[in-house]
Amino acid sequence: MTYPISHRWRLLAAALLVLAALQLQGCASFEPPRPFATEAEALAARGEPTRRWSNDDGTTTLEYSTQPNGRSCLMVHVDQGGIVLRQWDALAPDNLARVERGMDKEQVSRLLGAHRSEQRFRNSGEEVWDWNVRNDGPGVATLFNVHFIDDKVVRTSQTYVYPREGPGWGAWGAYPPYPWGWGPGFWGYPRPFAHPWFW
């Protein structure tokens, strides 16, 4: 049976709407990894952690960082017997907000996990570490930056990464190796943005 052209377009539009609804349903049903009961379960599911942190109370924190390209860092806190006490995403907004002025580099690393990249600024005396985090803003990615002077946190900021243009950068190019991405292709550099974390 042959349908008129307008009817075929309506059928195609209906099919596309169903597909979009299924995709949204899949997004809504996404869940973080199930909580682990033991260290052995975490190791079986995730492999060896990127780092192990020994805590003063005898417990251990397993760090599973996904930097430089991922946007999460699973922390698994286990007791001396290997029982998981809790687990959390170190790059969740509420944890990012815990970075405080005066913290040293080890405290920041313990809090947020391994950073994506770092850059030194001679004029300001700052060393800036950044983490790839969930992108809720404009652009194609968001970086959370921690600024150190004399190895102590002085402030934090957030940077949006925008698409780069031109044949050398592909669809949108790679992330810059440092927060503001000055250099070749500067027309697409990410722009610093004042944020609640910016002091």
Side-chain angles (χ1 to χ4, degrees):
M1 180 175 186
T2 305
Y3 292 105
I5 291 177
S6 61
H7 186 70
R8 281 184 273 180
W9 279 112
R10 280 196 293 268
L11 286 174
L12 179 61
L16 289 173
L17 281 173
V18 169
L19 254 161
L22 288 173
Q23 284 183 331
L24 286 174
Q25 183 181 9
C27 292
S29 65
F30 173 77
E31 294 179 2
R34 70 176 181 81
F36 299 116
T38 65
E39 179 179 354
E41 281 185 13
L43 294 175
R46 292 271 181 160
E48 279 300 314
T50 49
R51 285 190 288 197
R52 288 175 178 267
W53 296 99
S54 297
N55 304 312
D56 292 338
D57 58 2
T59 62
T60 303
T61 303
L62 310 180
E63 173 189 321
Y64 290 95
S65 175
T66 61
Q67 299 295 304
N69 299 314
R71 297 178 301 179
S72 65
C73 179
L74 178 67
M75 296 288 196
V76 182
H77 188 200
V78 298
D79 68 12
Q80 293 168 312
I83 303 301
V84 172
L85 302 174
R86 69 185 185 106
Q87 68 179 49
W88 66 98
D89 180 7
L91 297 180
D94 59 338
N95 205 57
L96 296 176
R98 293 176 59 202
V99 178
E100 295 179 356
R101 191 189 314 238
M103 282 183 167
D104 61 31
K105 291 179 177 179
E106 182 177 340
Q107 289 174 306
V108 173
S109 289
R110 278 179 171 267
L111 184 62
L112 303 183
H115 54 285
R116 187 187 72 90
S117 67
E118 59 189 65
Q119 178 68 21
R120 292 180 183 274
F121 295 90
R122 238 182 323 190
N123 290 343
S124 67
E126 290 185 333
E127 180 179 344
V128 182
W129 291 3
D130 66 57
W131 288 258
N132 189 32
V133 296
R134 179 178 169 182
N135 182 31
D136 287 329
V140 294
T142 302
L143 303 178
F144 179 76
N145 313 306
V146 177
H147 303 247
F148 298 92
I149 293 181
D150 297 328
D151 297 333
K152 299 288 184 183
V153 175
V154 292
R155 65 189 176 102
T156 63
S157 64
Q158 186 165 303
T159 304
Y160 294 130
V161 180
Y162 289 86
R164 296 183 183 269
E165 299 173 354
W169 298 107
W172 58 270
Y175 291 27
Y178 40 89
W180 291 284
W182 270 234
F186 63 91
W187 55 87
Y189 65 80
R191 301 167 189 138
F193 178 78
H195 193 274
W197 299 307
F198 187 96
W199 299 320

